[in-house]
Amino acid sequence: MSIVAAYSGSFDPITLGHNDIMHRAARMFPKLIIAVGHNVAKNPKFTLEERVMLIEEATRDLKNVEVKGFSGLVVDFARDNGVTVLVRGVRTVGDVDYEKQMAVMNRDLYAVLDTVMLTPAPEYAHLSSSLVRELASLGAPVEKLVPPAVIPLLLERFGRKKSG
């Protein structure tokens, strides 16, 4: 039996922390699906199609990775795509507590679904998509925060031009 894992999130936008976890999870599992969630309640800055495209670009070097958009419950996505392991990124104790609660609930809804929590590399542990969006909106440099493919679209989204 081949294990199929999924790393789900809104990735609005993908950060270097997300990218780190994607690359590490791709080494751990024979197949990894990046499940890009559509959640209008989060008021995304990037469309689902843009987020999928940016992640595809950032993971182009990973032959066992597929990027798919979805809406609804992640357990339904998992069931529909043969996923038995969810990969979750955690940065803080608060993240761990929240993800533990979600893991228990997801397993209750879909008994074969396990959750694996990964911490990002230390240099990315402070990053979040919301922090990246805030910094971009305030004119801060973003080159050390997101994969290169994200930079032009991120700057354009906040009415900025690429520096240098």
Side-chain angles (χ1 to χ4, degrees), residues 11-87:
F11 307 110
D12 187 43
I14 177 179
T15 69
L16 289 176
H18 294 133
N19 198 37
D20 173 59
I21 289 184
M22 290 171 188
H23 278 75
R24 289 174 36 230
R27 288 193 306 266
M28 298 169 101
F29 301 102
K31 180 174 181 182
L32 176 67
I33 302 172
I34 310 300
V36 185
H38 175 69
N39 183 348
V40 292
K42 284 194 167 188
N43 192 23
K45 287 289 184 190
F46 298 90
T47 67
L48 181 63
E49 294 76 18
E50 288 170 332
R51 290 180 279 140
V52 166
M53 180 268 304
L54 291 171
I55 295 167
E56 286 174 340
E57 183 62 33
T59 59
R60 184 176 304 278
D61 59 318
L62 302 173
K63 302 305 177 207
N64 62 328
V65 170
E66 184 178 359
V67 184
K68 292 184 176 184
F70 81 99
S71 61
L73 295 174
V74 73
V75 293
D76 292 335
F77 177 87
R79 190 178 291 110
D80 293 345
N81 289 276
V83 171
T84 58
V85 177
L86 280 182
V87 174

